[in-house]
């Protein structure tokens, strides 16, 4: 908790010092009800095998949070990271497709940055598609897909409101809620429920 706040504060100070402006980030998740997803108590005695594919580009803790959520989740008391699809048991392969900001957002962002963010710069086109492929005995049974959108606004006028960054969702939060939503959806659909044992 404190490391997260200190990290945000350090990032904010670095941005203010280097850009002489303010950058406010927030994340949106589809489906929006994923923000209400709550961890569920353990429901299955079996082990869940999983793998999380790497994704390139700049991330702010989302990849690490995703790996941690798969390793220690509230559904399976035992998990094991694997590099290949196991021939027996339940296996979840997680792939993340990263979407970079649009060319227009990047070009305007560089222009605004060169003028010390006196003109505002906005981007709402970057983010991630997170796919959870569920396998049973090496056979694919269900694919779940969730969208995370990153929105950012940089403008020197926002400097007095930089504290808003501490109140908005960050990338770790977004990956945590989509993973919780995946587990809830998998239980609801029966692919992760105890009745399938």
């Amino acid at each position: 908790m404190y490391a997260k706040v200190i990290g945000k504060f350090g990032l904010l100070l670095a941005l203010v010092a280097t850009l002489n402006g303010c950058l406010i980030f927030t994340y949106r998740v589809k489906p929006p009800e994923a923000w209400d997803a709550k961890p569920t108590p353990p429901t299955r005695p079996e082990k869940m095998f999983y793998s999380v594919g790497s994704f390139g580009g700049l991330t702010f803790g989302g990849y690490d949070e995703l790996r941690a959520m798969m390793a220690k989740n509230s559904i399976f008391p035992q998990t094991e990271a694997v590099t290949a699809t196991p021939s027996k048991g339940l296996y979840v392969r997680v792939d993340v497709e990263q979407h970079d900001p649009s060319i227009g957002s990047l070009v305007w962002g560089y222009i605004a940055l060169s003028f010390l963010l006196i003109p505002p710069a906005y981007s709402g086109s970057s983010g991630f598609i997170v796919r959870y492929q569920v396998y049973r005995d090496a056979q694919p049974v269900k694919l779940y897909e969730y969208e995370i959108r990153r929105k950012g606004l940089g403008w020197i006028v926002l400097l007095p409101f930089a504290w808003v960054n501490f109140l908005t969702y960050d990338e770790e939060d977004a990956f945590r809620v989509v993973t919780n939503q995946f587990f809830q959806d998998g239980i609801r659909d029966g692919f992760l429920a105890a009745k399938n044992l």
Side-chain angles (χ1 to χ4, degrees), residues 62-171:
Y63 180 71
D64 293 333
E65 184 65 23
L66 176 60
R67 293 184 67 202
M69 289 289 294
M70 294 303 291
K72 290 191 174 188
N73 60 74
S74 60
I75 307 300
F76 296 92
Q78 290 186 319
T79 61
E80 182 180 333
V82 295
T83 56
T85 307
S87 59
K88 293 287 183 190
L90 179 70
Y91 166 62
V92 179
R93 188 185 79 223
V94 186
D95 294 305
V96 179
E97 179 183 330
Q98 187 164 355
H99 293 272
D100 295 325
S102 67
I103 298 296
S105 293
L106 283 174
V107 169
W108 180 250
Y110 285 123
I111 291 170
L113 185 58
S114 68
F115 287 100
L116 302 176
L117 289 177
I118 293 171
Y122 171 79
S123 174
S125 58
S126 65
F128 309 91
I129 302 292
V130 188
R131 295 182 180 93
Y132 301 82
Q133 177 67 64
V134 179
Y135 293 81
R136 170 61 69 185
D137 298 333
Q139 299 300 313
V141 292
K142 180 72 174 176
L143 174 67
Y144 293 91
E145 183 174 289
Y146 305 93
E147 182 180 3
I148 298 172
R149 283 288 169 213
R150 178 175 23 213
K151 297 176 183 275
L153 175 63
W155 194 14
I156 196 167
V157 174
L158 296 176
L159 186 58
F161 306 102
W163 55 269
V164 170
N165 280 310
F166 296 108
L167 304 176
T168 60
Y169 295 113
D170 61 17
E171 189 174 289

